[in-house]
Amino acid sequence: MRIDIITIFPKMFDPVLNESMLLRAQEKKKVKIRVYDLRDYTLDKHRKVDDRPFGGGSGMVMTAEPIFLAVEKIKSQSRKDAKPHVVLLCPQGKQLTQKKAKSLVKYKHLILICGHYEGIDERVRESLADEEISIGDYVLTGGELPAMVLVDCLARLVPGVLGDKNSLNFESFEGNLLEYPQYTRPANFRGMAVPEILLSGDHQKIEAWRKKEAIRKTKKRRPDLLKRKS
């Protein structure tokens, strides 16, 4: 899978992309990630990528031209069998869920546009982006952190990235359930004991207990998940 990220703060991505699972995913050549500085695509001599909004108002708006030029350049270098899917990270987008991540990971090539300032020229939204993604109903400074969240979420779904391919089947939000309780050694810590069923060695009973606990935890903490369609 190839992921290209367009941002005005490329250095923000270095610590995230060069650590832990994302680093291993790239080393295994399962995911190819490249970050582009939007200022490299502006035709303005001062490398400006924003301007005052028409009609007045506070703040600045990201201009359309450098974003179009950056996306067009990346698309021109894309493989013929991997048509890029352009995603704009912004508050107006559809909320990122595990189901949405599974649909996005099917694309061989994603281009992520990180919004910033007070907004982005509407022509980017209407004529360039294939879809818009938000990571929640709150305001952030820009689309960089949402892009990092999305990349992390997608990379772990790429076959061969995680060491245990079965672990994906037991994570939170799979089947619209939160993950069941997990324990490890020691079996008794400060008087707090691990449930006996987990020490029984009876895998069928353990599986049933885990499913029951996942449902119980979801009903208590996130009952809204049980109403969603899988």
Side-chain angles (χ1 to χ4, degrees):
M1 183 180 198
R2 173 179 169 181
I3 303 176
D4 291 311
I5 304 168
I6 301 171
T7 172
I8 57 174
F9 296 112
K11 290 183 179 180
M12 284 184 66
F13 290 86
D14 291 343
V16 175
L17 299 182
N18 294 306
E19 293 288 349
S20 189
M21 182 268 299
L22 287 176
L23 175 61
R24 294 195 299 273
Q26 295 173 84
E27 290 177 339
K28 290 180 179 180
K29 300 189 184 304
K30 298 295 182 180
V31 182
K32 182 178 181 181
I33 305 171
R34 185 172 176 183
V35 180
Y36 296 81
D37 188 340
L38 180 62
R39 297 186 190 280
D40 291 339
Y41 296 89
T42 179
L43 302 181
D44 181 86
K45 65 179 181 179
H46 300 296
R47 305 186 79 209
K48 280 187 59 178
V49 294
D50 64 316
D51 211 330
R52 294 185 300 275
F54 283 126
S58 62
M60 303 290 276
V61 175
M62 293 184 75
T63 55
E65 185 175 60
I67 300 174
F68 271 79
L69 291 176
V71 170
E72 288 165 357
K73 179 66 174 181
I74 295 170
K75 283 185 173 182
S76 70
Q77 300 170 343
S78 179
R79 287 166 38 191
K80 292 182 179 180
D81 63 338
K83 182 181 178 182
H85 186 73
V86 182
V87 177
L88 173 62
L89 283 308
C90 68
Q92 299 180 29
K94 292 182 179 178
Q95 189 162 345
L96 177 63
T97 63
Q98 193 70 1
K99 182 179 179 181
K100 169 53 68 174
K102 284 184 172 181
S103 70
L104 287 173
V105 82
K106 294 177 182 178
Y107 292 100
K108 294 181 180 179
H109 186 184
L110 290 176
I111 300 176
L112 309 184
I113 302 172
C114 301
H116 210 74
Y117 303 117
E118 288 300 314
I120 195 165
D121 192 295
E122 189 69 15
R123 288 164 288 194
V124 172
R125 198 186 315 275
E126 293 179 346
S127 302
L128 192 63
D130 293 307
E131 68 175 304
E132 302 164 57
I133 296 291
S134 166
I135 63 168
D137 295 335
Y138 43 86
V139 180
L140 294 171
T141 305
E144 284 74 20
L145 292 176
M148 295 176 201
V149 170
L150 179 58
V151 169
D152 188 284
C153 186
L154 294 176
R156 61 189 298 106
L157 294 175
V158 175
V161 169
L162 294 183
D164 182 359
K165 64 181 180 180
N166 293 318
S167 64
L168 285 172
N169 298 323
F170 303 104
E171 293 188 323
S172 290
F173 305 112
E174 288 299 322
N176 292 339
L177 293 175
L178 297 181
E179 190 175 15
Y180 50 76
Q182 296 273 28
Y183 300 88
T184 188
R185 294 173 177 76
N188 192 304
F189 175 69
R190 297 184 179 181
M192 296 177 284
V194 172
E196 286 293 328
I197 185 67
L198 298 178
L199 309 176
S200 68
D202 189 326
H203 296 292
Q204 188 170 359
K205 289 183 178 180
I206 290 173
E207 178 112 8
W209 179 86
R210 285 174 167 171
K211 181 67 178 290
K212 180 180 177 181
E213 286 297 303
I215 294 173
R216 180 189 66 79
K217 184 182 284 190
T218 306
K219 283 182 177 179
K220 182 180 179 180
R221 300 185 181 183
R222 291 291 306 277
D224 58 296
L225 291 175
L226 297 174
K227 299 176 183 179
R228 292 182 183 177
K229 294 182 180 179
S230 298

